[in-house]
Amino acid sequence: MFGMPPPLPNQSMTSVSPAVGQIGAPVAGASKIDPNQIPRPIPGSSVILHETRQGNQANPPPPATSDYIVRDTGNCSPRYMRCTINQIPCTDDLLTTSGMQLALMVQPLAIPHPSEETVQVVDFGESGPVRCSRCKGYINPFMKFIDQGRRFICNFCGFTDETPREYHCNLGPDGRRRDADERPELCRGTVEFVASREYMVRDPMPAVYFFLIDVSMNAIQIGATAAACGAINQVIADLPEGPRTMVGIATFDSTIHFYNLKRALQQPLMLVVPDVQDVYTPLQTDVVVQLSECRQHLELLLESIPTMFLENRTAESAFGAATKAAFMAMKGTGGRLLVFQSVLPSIGIGALSAREAEGRTHLSAGEKEAHKLLQSADETLKAMAIEFAEYQVCVDVFITTQTYVDIASIAVIPRTTGGQVYYYYPFSAVSDPAKLYNDLRWNVTRPQGFEAVMRVRCSQGIQVLEYDGNFCKRMPTDVDLPGIDCDKTIMVTLKHDDKLKDGSECAFQCALLYTTVNGQRRIRVTTLSLPCTSILSNLFRSADLDTQFACFLKQAASEIPSRPLLLVKDRMTNLCINILLSYRKFCATVTSSGQLILPEALKLLPLYTLALIKSKGLRTDGRIDERSFWINYLSSISTPLAIPFVHPRMVAIHDLNSKEGDQSLIPPVISLSTEHVNDGGIYLLENGEDCLIYIGNSVDSDILRQLFCISSVDEIPAQFVLQQYDNPLSKKLNDLVNEIRRQRCSYLRLKLCKKGDPSGMLFFSYMIEDKSSSGLSYVEFLVHVHRQIQLKMSS
Amino acid sequence: MAEFLELESQDGVRMPWNVIPGTKQESSNCVVPVSAIYSPIRPLPNITLLPYSPLRCRTCRSVLNPFAIVDFAAKIWICPFCFQRNHFPPNYASISDDNLPAELFPHYTTIEYSQDNQIGQSPPQPPLVFLFVIDSCLIEEEMGFLKSSLSQAFDLLPDNSLVGLITFGTLVHVHELGFAQIPKTYVFRGNKDISKEQLLEHMSFFAKKPKPPGVIAGARDGLSADSISRFLLPKADCEFAFNSVLEELQKDPWGVPTDQRATRCTSTALSIAASLLGACVPGSGARIMAFIGGPSTEGSGAIVSKNLSEPIRSHKDLDKDSAPLYHKAVKFYEGLSKQLVHQGHVLDLFACALDQVGVAELKIAVERTGGLVVLAESFGHPVFKDSLRRIFQAGDYDLGLSSSGIFEINCSKDIKVQGIIGPCASLEKKGPLCSDTVIGQGNTTAWKMCGLDKATSLCLIFEVVKKESPDATIQSTSNQFYFQFLTYYQHYSGQMRLRVTTLSRRWVAGPGSIQDLVAGFDQEAAAVVMARQVSFKMETEAEFDPIRWLDKALIHLCSRFGDYQKESPSSFSLSPRLSIFPQFMFNLRRSQFVQVFNNSPDETAYFRMILNRENVANSVVMIQPSLISFSFHSGPEPALLDVASIAADRILLLDSYFTMVIFHGATIAQWRKAGYHNQPEHQAFAYLLQAPRDEADSIIKERFPVPRLVICDQHGSQARFLLAKLNPSATYNSDGPLPGGDVIFTDDVSFEVFLDHLQRLAVQ
């Protein structure tokens, strides 16, 4: 029944988590904890069927990382939007007491499971979708029709609206509209409305792709230019067909080279823009051309660019100027700008300095503000990015490099324009082109939208505090997304501005107005309605670990550039401790003070927190660019990919053959601890971006031959290309990697690792449960957390 | 008259006063200044080329000449300018009365030296450089005409010449013709000035090696030959690239709203061209050839805004100082001309449009560098097409384009130089010879002539500074003034040459000298000097009234040199030496040089540029056109430049230099329309029709720019080209029609009325 509080069975003791280990005295050694009993993720292998609402109540979603199929029964699929807590605290005090965050993870264009129903498109014609006349909330299953359907009450602002005449329908005996089940907007959590004229300031833009390639000396010499040209040349075939697809291309070193592709007779014409302080586009038209008109020219050109610049001795790179010039060429339409950059931008607008090196000297001199290197160097690129966003240009930067390029500064452009950074370091002409091609291909073929605007509305009592992600914000209420795709997630933090009524429901609605690749203007409306509660234990029970932790990660990522690292680490640890403390203090009934008590839903929080603390982003030993990339990667990461990114998945692959008959392609997960890594084994570890294959020192040479076509560990190539050999083991490994690629929507950077080698060190740096220079072991960390809780309890 | 022409063919010089008023006072009373029209490299029939270096005076650096006093015994010569005694060097040891070196032959007052004479030792000739700068804001048709002319011109270029190409519209495209893989151009903003240093930077001249310190100047100084040959290539190496750029060249792709002019950044393109040449080939002969098809609207040299509702400046606007962009543009081109002169490069201008393109503003840069200028209404017009072909054509009528000239003057100490009106630039080499009064390019005794050709004629204006001295005995023993003109230049064969012309002229002073002065008066030269002077004053002096100035001068001259009894106009007569001068002045007053309001500032600038570079004979035609009559009654004969010369059975050929008009009398036109000339029995008529054509053709092929040929019939609309030039002795308010049956619709006074007034005023 609408508005009823959800029943909470077993309200009291049972939700209390099992005590883990007896910790008698504060000085008690870790030896007393059985490492095998501490909480670890146990992935469910079977597919979960999930109905978003059952019995008119919100159904808590399955873990984001699990395999599930959703049936939209009123609330949106958790793929599109999920909340850190599946019940909304009635008051701000209650939320504060819990120590938890209230936030939404919104991924409006997420890819549904193949077995799920596709999002239905609703066309209201010229009048456009029905909306609340006060708050402009869109019609959704939780708007309550009254007065024989003549009026409806908005579930956001509570205003009573007149039903438009043509939309009127009588109510049935259950108080619902009789047509509710036939109308997707009245029975589905996610629908897509066809946008009417009033949603367009201009005709929907065409699909424009502009490729900008670094051809400076270094880019040429490391093979990055050739790789980029090759990838683009292959990808052209994947671009949307039809007259609405337009392409342009430019190269740059210390000058910018455009190409006029629209030439009847001869080769493309190269137009050099040499002024990189005050750039301009050399042609008004003909730089961006319909793909169908220039396909041959383009292919020819892409083939010849690497040779044309083979002798290039220009080391300088005018990244900022080139980006701006390309922007000017596509300003009229907007579109996607794909930049391939290989060196530090050193000249022209937005030129950067090699501040990493400067930073290192400062660091050794005791510089306190090392994190400044993770901030953008100046405001030039930011200002440019805002202008790009205004004209609907979305920039992605593919960084193929072997040096420092100052990602912290460069990344401002993709982050502001709804794009992203791809990072290939150290770039290898052998192993990286395949990933570059696949990344580029996914970039242009994945479900996506252009010139988008997004807003989240909440029921009275709650309001949006902040949006976090890759976008540009010009108005406080909306986010502008020149580009939005299925991988991009936006975190929406919420705050109370009033008390909520216990037992009522609180709704959240995300509306995304965008243009499809085919030039249709659409509004995707995603609505989630959750019960409100004034009981603390309900919050703990309905806490969503994956969402909470994704929220943790994004907050950490945004704090790292502006605070000393120690403070960030402390804050993350304290966030974890405070939640557990609150639970211990107010919900746990087991009074034994010697026990560490974890809420069931959040029992893995300490492990993940530890993983976060030990991650690249929060370590000082990493390279600045690597940390910047880490920060940027997280800014738009989706909930399912968040945890694996810091807490990777490790599986054994030397014994893939022995698991005959097992349906799953992915072997059982192994805990991230050295003790599970044997010298005779081969292990694959992946975090959605990198994939390390560790080969023990005494692996059977037969297995090596089957998998890698080498006979001993010493022959491990530094640059690895996965190949399939004619044997079952190799096939299984390939299947496994492909399955992971599918799950993560990522091609993965594969690397072979061995002991006693930097690659081995890298591998072992992911052994989070081990004690290492970067932090405590898992057991020690639990002891630390426990001690802190006890300290706070007694104070 | 004939003796003046003889002097011209000996020395290439015409002077208004061949007997010089000998004192300051005397010369200022003579009205027409002591001056000379000198054609520095005019081909002379009897000139000798000496294969050695000239001998120079130790103090004044003047060159040994026939007027030097030679002491054969002592092997000494005395310089006629400074009276310095100079020893002959050992190689002149055998000199004697009957063994004179050529430079001392009395008739070799003009002689040439070639420095690089030794066989096998001549330095390699630097190739000529042609940098084409092409306007792309043209309609398709004009673009087609231009392309075909240019590709013809390219074929005619000397084989060893270097070629570069710049096109422009909204932006400037510098084509890298030497880039083999694909067509490549550097694109520059049209509205942004760019310095030579920035240009070097921007065009990656230092990509392969670091930029050297100091001034970058060509292959000798800092630039590798490789990087130069990216933009300037031997003709043979860039033929394909050049032609393919030309072929693909399209109308400027930046859209032009219907109420706007095209964005045309002429000045920026020219500035970039100048800087490119300045970086690559400073000091050696190079020409920027600019082909411009409309008004400049962008950059520092813009002449008008893009808004079509704003008309292009007229003479009225310039007079009222209401042409907002004019001064800025002129200032810009003045800067450009300095740069070009410094580099020794020439700017040639081909302005082909119905609109003005900004010749008035560009004038300074073209004139100071000695560039060629052609103004036509279309790139398809023969005036442009034939002129362009003439530039590169070898043969009898080639222009003899030479470069890198330096012109110097020496003269007797009682003479000073005020300046030169003509295509040259002052080198600011001050000396005792410089007068305080400056006209044209002055304050110097040396001038740069980046470009010069066979026709180039300078107008040198002198000042006599000798004081009146009552005591005749103190007068110096000599009553001769000496002038020496030295022209160093790169002959079109590539050879460096020095031409030396030394003149001697008698001076007279005191009572009784008038007859001598009149005897030496060259009225044609005088008219030309007056024309150049009045044009110059109109351009440079505010509130200058040219009619008043000319009338005053003429009256003054007539009352000084005429024969009359005071207050008796009917007694007035002029010596034959002066008799046509009033008519020249009458026609000069009516000419395009003075009556500018009939023309646009561009046209006026064009006419004056040509006037300032032409020789006396051609200039006279500009001032007072020649008219030849053809009829059955007599052979071709000169006719009076008067409306009375029109007759129904005559064909008139008018040559006003810029335009040639063949005018068929009414009857002739009727016959022609009836096709009589095609009938064998009327062959004589066919000959009659053909005769003026042949005459016109023979004039046209010698002239640059090629004149416009108008063929018209009496009473036809085109007849105005003739009528405008004729003396309006019969106007609409005359008493009875003339036998020719034509009247001129004008209120202008006729020559008779003018002469009456002159006589009346001269005798007062």
Side-chain angles (χ1 to χ4, degrees), chain A residues 254-255 259 263-276 278-286 301 307-308 311 313-314 328, chain B residues 171 173 175-176 179-189 192 194 201-204 207-208 240 244-245 247-250 253-255:
Chain A
S254 64
T255 58
Y259 299 88
R263 305 239 301 171
L265 301 170
Q266 299 161 1
Q267 296 159 289
L269 166 68
M270 179 172 172
L271 298 140
V272 183
V273 173
D275 190 343
V276 290
D278 179 15
V279 293
Y280 40 92
T281 164
L283 284 176
Q284 193 174 34
T285 54
D286 298 356
L301 181 64
T307 47
M308 212 152 73
E311 299 296 313
R313 291 287 166 273
T314 310
M328 290 167 108
Chain B
L171 303 169
H173 290 234
H175 297 266
E176 185 174 331
F179 192 74
Q181 286 95 336
I182 63 171
K184 177 177 176 186
T185 91
Y186 282 79
V187 186
F188 294 88
R189 262 210 156 119
K192 191 175 172 185
I194 175 165
E201 197 72 42
H202 285 166
M203 303 219 294
S204 316
K208 293 205 170 117
F240 177 77
S244 66
V245 171
E247 209 172 296
E248 291 261 312
L249 185 63
Q250 276 164 359
W254 297 79

Side-chain angles (χ1 to χ4, degrees), chain B residues 185-501:
Chain B
T185 91
Y186 282 79
V187 186
F188 294 88
R189 262 210 156 119
N191 53 9
K192 191 175 172 185
D193 291 334
I194 175 165
S195 70
K196 193 175 102 188
E197 282 65 36
Q198 283 171 316
L199 190 80
L200 283 168
E201 197 72 42
H202 285 166
M203 303 219 294
S204 316
F205 273 104
F206 308 109
K208 293 205 170 117
K209 58 176 195 176
K211 183 177 173 182
V215 181
I216 312 299
R220 273 170 299 135
D221 256 324
L223 283 193
S224 65
D226 271 3
S227 57
I228 294 171
S229 68
R230 288 161 59 205
F231 299 100
L232 300 175
L233 273 81
K235 175 190 168 186
D237 296 350
C238 70
E239 186 161 8
F240 177 77
F242 185 90
N243 280 320
S244 66
V245 171
L246 212 57
E247 209 172 296
E248 291 261 312
L249 185 63
Q250 276 164 359
K251 189 173 185 294
D252 192 47
W254 297 79
V256 183
T258 48
D259 60 342
Q260 302 237 309
R261 295 185 174 91
T263 309
R264 188 183 272 111
C265 62
T266 315
S267 56
T268 317
L270 292 176
S271 158
I272 287 174
S275 295
L276 183 63
L277 291 181
C280 294
V281 288
S284 67
R287 309 188 81 92
I288 297 171
M289 303 192 112
F291 299 85
I292 298 170
S296 174
T297 55
E298 184 95 328
S300 307
I303 63 159
V304 68
S305 82
K306 276 173 226 159
N307 212 331
L308 269 174
S309 62
E310 183 190 312
I312 303 180
R313 78 276 175 290
S314 65
H315 276 295
K316 260 205 184 65
D317 297 323
L318 295 182
D319 257 18
K320 288 187 297 186
D321 204 14
S322 61
L325 300 170
Y326 180 76
H327 295 291
K328 188 181 167 214
V330 170
K331 196 157 177 269
F332 172 84
Y333 286 118
E334 192 173 357
L336 184 72
S337 74
K338 283 199 181 117
Q339 183 186 352
L340 287 170
V341 167
H342 179 71
Q343 296 168 185
H345 298 148
V346 186
L347 172 63
D348 296 326
L349 176 62
F350 301 88
C352 296
L354 292 168
D355 261 340
Q356 299 187 66
V357 310
V359 179
E361 287 83 351
L362 273 156
K363 176 174 186 276
I364 184 167
V366 176
E367 197 159 59
R368 298 261 169 96
T369 61
L372 303 172
V373 58
V374 176
L375 183 76
E377 57 200 33
S378 156
F379 287 112
H381 200 284
V383 169
F384 166 72
K385 289 199 295 186
D386 298 345
S387 297
L388 183 64
R389 207 173 308 130
R390 278 288 307 284
I391 293 173
F392 301 110
Q393 215 164 40
D396 289 348
Y397 300 108
D398 73 311
L399 301 184
L401 291 183
S402 301
S403 55
S404 309
I406 289 179
F407 179 72
E408 284 185 337
I409 293 184
N410 282 310
C411 45
S412 300
K413 68 177 171 50
D414 288 328
I415 303 273
K416 286 190 190 304
V417 183
Q418 289 190 339
I420 295 182
I421 303 177
C424 62
S426 164
L427 280 174
E428 308 282 338
K429 188 182 167 194
K430 292 197 181 63
L433 285 180
C434 301
S435 163
D436 293 336
T437 322
V438 174
I439 186 163
Q441 291 294 295
N443 259 330
T444 183
T445 55
W447 291 261
K448 180 96 179 174
M449 299 179 79
C450 302
L452 65 168
D453 56 69
K454 288 175 179 173
T456 307
S457 302
L458 304 173
C459 174
L460 289 57
I461 298 187
F462 300 102
E463 185 183 357
V464 180
V465 289
K466 201 164 131 73
K467 290 273 167 3
E468 199 101 27
S469 109
D471 190 353
T473 54
I474 303 173
Q475 271 185 11
S476 81
T477 48
S478 159
N479 59 348
Q480 295 287 322
F481 282 145
Y482 297 104
F483 304 86
Q484 190 170 65
F485 306 146
L486 305 172
T487 313
Y488 307 84
Y489 68 103
Q490 187 177 13
H491 189 254
Y492 50 89
S493 67
Q495 222 174 26
M496 284 309 295
R497 290 197 184 174
L498 168 63
R499 181 182 286 203
V500 181
T501 295

Side-chain angles (χ1 to χ4, degrees), chain A residues 250-473:
Chain A
T251 54
F252 65 100
D253 44 28
S254 64
T255 58
I256 309 154
H257 328 118
F258 283 89
Y259 299 88
N260 181 350
L261 299 169
K262 198 174 188 171
R263 305 239 301 171
L265 301 170
Q266 299 161 1
Q267 296 159 289
L269 166 68
M270 179 172 172
L271 298 140
V272 183
V273 173
D275 190 343
V276 290
Q277 294 298 342
D278 179 15
V279 293
Y280 40 92
T281 164
L283 284 176
Q284 193 174 34
T285 54
D286 298 356
V287 167
V288 179
V289 185
Q290 279 185 19
L291 177 59
S292 50
E293 284 184 2
C294 67
R295 202 180 285 268
Q296 275 147 0
H297 275 332
L298 192 62
E299 283 168 7
L300 208 76
L301 181 64
L302 285 163
E303 275 164 32
S304 53
I305 283 173
T307 47
M308 212 152 73
F309 292 97
L310 201 59
E311 299 296 313
N312 197 356
R313 291 287 166 273
T314 310
E316 311 276 7
S317 165
F319 165 81
T323 314
K324 179 149 193 185
F327 154 71
M328 290 167 108
M330 56 197 302
K331 196 172 173 182
T333 51
R336 296 198 76 105
L337 173 57
L338 301 126
V339 189
F340 298 81
Q341 172 74 19
S342 294
V343 292
L344 181 74
S346 55
I347 193 170
I349 308 169
L352 302 168
S353 65
R355 48 185 189 140
E356 188 197 31
E358 296 157 23
R360 258 199 303 269
T361 46
H362 288 166
L363 203 65
S364 56
E367 172 74 56
K368 283 278 161 25
E369 302 198 311
H371 57 265
K372 288 246 163 97
L373 291 178
L374 297 165
Q375 297 171 4
S376 184
D378 65 21
E379 291 297 304
T380 319
L381 292 175
K382 177 75 181 169
M384 268 167 58
I386 291 170
E387 197 189 358
F388 295 0
E390 194 171 335
Y391 289 91
Q392 309 297 352
V393 171
C394 166
V395 185
D396 291 302
V397 185
F398 296 79
I399 296 173
T400 48
T401 186
Q402 295 181 347
T403 54
Y404 172 70
V405 301
D406 197 352
I407 292 181
S409 301
I410 289 178
V412 168
I413 293 178
R415 279 186 75 160
T416 311
T417 58
Q420 74 189 82
V421 177
Y422 296 83
Y423 190 39
Y424 308 84
Y425 176 90
F427 180 80
S428 148
V430 176
S431 53
D432 281 327
K435 176 162 161 60
L436 183 64
Y437 161 61
N438 275 279
D439 287 347
L440 182 62
R441 181 160 185 265
W442 181 239
N443 183 295
V444 300
T445 56
R446 64 186 167 186
Q448 57 192 297
F450 309 130
E451 48 180 353
V453 185
M454 193 192 95
R455 176 190 286 198
V456 172
R457 293 183 173 81
C458 315
S459 291
Q460 263 178 321
I462 299 276
Q463 56 171 280
V464 173
L465 177 65
E466 218 174 352
Y467 296 95
D468 277 290
N470 294 1
F471 54 74
C472 176
K473 203 161 143 192

